[in-house]
């Protein structure tokens, strides 16, 4: 007998866990690749945004049109999708700007304070109840951040605040997703985000061209001629962002958010591995302790108790 369409789909925890681990593996590898581009002399952030999403957008749109009902794909609120997409774009700008300046594991740990901000914002703006263990996670995460960043010490750099800013922006975008974009199809949100990447990328290039002093580094408005290697790198990044867009949706639909969110922190472990393998980065013991505390705090924050 066919299952009633109104019956909730049963959870598939192994699928959700395997998918989120594969997704954060792809994301962390892509971020390591972007970190290598941001070392100077490579492609600027604005060109990267524009070209990467120009490759990803038609693939995503074609797949959505083939597999989804066009009526379901139509946006319910263009305004809220646009605001959400701008928040996420600003989040990626802040995080990507930090990557050339920080060890990858430190940037990842600072960024993965985001469950702590989601908990706080859900309580303040979303009207959600927050359990004792979640507030304990927020406090523990704050201690972890102090150990990683060590404000006031010689090891502190202001760039370390950029991943925290990106975490705040992401948390705001997720609260907006739940309160204003809940009825939007994930593919619609992904298309809106990639369209925003394209618009912001070209806008950043044009603004840079009009400024009297040309931005340098990762914010450079120079258009880098792309040979086969640059196209190959950008195609890989486009593929990874597609994996992230689709994989995250599948994982959080297949298993409870508390379970998936716990394994989402595998990103920090992968970031540690890529940092050692690709950039010879080895956080000291104090920073490693802070990273562990942030991961534990995030696990507490995503579990309701």
């Amino acid at each position: 007998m066919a299952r009633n369409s109104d019956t909730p789909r049963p959870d598939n925890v192994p699928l959700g866990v395997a998918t989120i681990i594969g997704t954060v593996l792809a994301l962390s590898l892509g971020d390591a690749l972007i970190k290598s581009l941001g070392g100077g002399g490579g492609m600027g952030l604005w060109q990267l945004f524009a070209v990467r999403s120009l490759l990803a957008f038609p693939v995503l749109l074609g797949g959505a049109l083939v597999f989804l009902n066009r009526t379901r794909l139509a946006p319910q609120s263009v305004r809220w999708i646009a605001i959400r997409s701008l928040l996420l774009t600003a989040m990626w700008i802040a995080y990507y700007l930090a990557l050339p300046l920080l060890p990858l594991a430190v940037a990842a740990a600072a960024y993965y304070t985001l469950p702590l901000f989601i908990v706080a914002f859900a309580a303040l703006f979303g009207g959600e109840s927050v359990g004792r263990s979640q507030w304990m996670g927020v406090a523990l995460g704050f201690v972890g951040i102090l150990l990683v960043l060590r404000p006031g010490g010689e090891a502190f750099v202001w760039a370390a605040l950029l991943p925290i800013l990106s975490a705040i922006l992401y948390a705001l975008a997720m609260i907006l997703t739940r309160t204003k974009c809940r009825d939007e199809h994930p593919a619609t949100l992904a298309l809106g985000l990639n369209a925003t990447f394209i618009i912001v990328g070209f806008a950043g290039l044009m603004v840079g061209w009009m400024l009297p002093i040309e931005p340098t580094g990762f914010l450079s408005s120079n258009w880098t001629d792309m040979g086969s290697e640059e196209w190959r790198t950008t195609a890989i990044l486009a593929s990874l962002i597609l994996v992230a867009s689709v994989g995250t949706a599948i994982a959080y639909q297949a298993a409870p958010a508390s379970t998936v969110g716990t394994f989402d922190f595998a990103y920090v472990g992968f970031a540690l591995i890529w940092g050692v393998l690709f950039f010879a980065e080895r956080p000291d013991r104090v920073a490693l302790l802070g990273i562990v505390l942030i991961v534990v705090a995030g696990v507490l924050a995503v579990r309701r108790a």
Side-chain angles (χ1 to χ4, degrees):
M1 188 173 78
R3 183 168 59 89
N4 191 312
S5 60
D6 294 330
T7 302
R9 184 173 60 184
D11 288 338
N12 188 335
V13 173
L15 174 63
V17 170
T19 303
I20 197 62
I21 291 176
T23 297
V24 296
L25 172 61
L27 273 174
S28 62
L29 184 58
D31 290 343
L33 187 56
I34 288 172
K35 177 178 172 66
S36 69
L37 293 175
M43 188 186 306
L45 182 62
W46 310 122
Q47 183 179 353
L48 174 63
F49 272 2
V51 178
R52 183 184 65 176
S53 287
L54 279 173
L55 293 176
F57 188 89
V59 176
L60 185 60
L61 178 60
L65 291 176
V66 169
F67 295 106
L68 298 175
N69 186 309
R70 295 189 181 186
T71 302
R72 184 70 182 90
L73 195 62
Q76 304 295 312
S77 174
V78 174
R79 180 183 65 170
W80 288 118
I81 291 176
I83 294 173
R84 174 188 182 272
S85 298
L86 287 170
L87 283 171
L88 289 174
T89 301
M91 178 271 291
W92 284 121
I93 291 172
Y95 189 64
Y96 287 165
L97 287 178
L99 289 180
L101 306 173
L102 297 173
L104 186 58
V106 171
Y111 172 70
Y112 266 83
T113 57
L114 66 91
L116 314 181
F117 292 111
I118 289 176
V119 167
F121 293 159
L124 292 174
F125 307 126
E128 295 187 14
S129 60
V130 177
R132 184 180 302 174
S133 68
Q134 292 175 291
W135 285 122
M136 187 183 303
V138 171
L140 193 62
F142 179 73
V143 174
I145 278 295
L146 291 179
L147 291 176
V148 170
L149 303 186
R150 278 168 276 182
E154 293 181 1
F156 177 74
V157 289
W158 286 103
L161 298 178
L162 288 171
I164 297 178
L165 173 60
S166 68
I168 293 173
L169 291 168
Y170 183 85
L172 289 172
M174 291 306 99
I175 296 300
L176 191 63
T177 301
R178 183 165 181 82
T179 57
K180 301 296 183 180
C181 303
R182 195 170 185 177
D183 294 331
E184 304 287 355
H185 195 280
T188 305
L189 296 177
L191 286 167
L193 177 58
N194 278 279
T196 304
F197 278 145
I198 295 170
I199 295 170
V200 170
F202 282 113
L205 288 170
M206 288 188 290
V207 169
W209 292 334
M210 292 185 293
L211 290 176
I213 301 177
E214 183 177 329
T216 59
F218 220 6
L219 291 177
S220 172
S221 58
N222 287 332
W223 183 272
T224 301
D225 291 335
M226 298 178 63
S228 58
E229 183 177 349
E230 287 77 16
W231 280 111
R232 182 168 59 250
T233 299
T234 308
I236 291 172
L237 289 172
S239 301
L240 293 174
I241 201 70
L242 282 173
V243 169
S245 300
V246 176
T248 302
I250 292 174
Y252 279 91
Q253 288 175 347
S258 60
T259 301
V260 175
T262 301
F263 287 91
D264 203 335
F265 284 91
Y267 179 100
V268 180
F270 289 130
L272 274 168
I273 293 172
W274 304 141
V276 172
L277 291 179
F278 299 152
F279 308 107
E281 298 172 347
R282 297 180 183 274
D284 59 32
R285 292 181 180 179
V286 175
L288 282 174
L289 176 59
I291 290 171
V292 171
L293 289 179
I294 290 169
V295 172
V296 173
V299 172
L300 290 173
V302 298
R303 290 185 176 277
R304 296 190 175 276

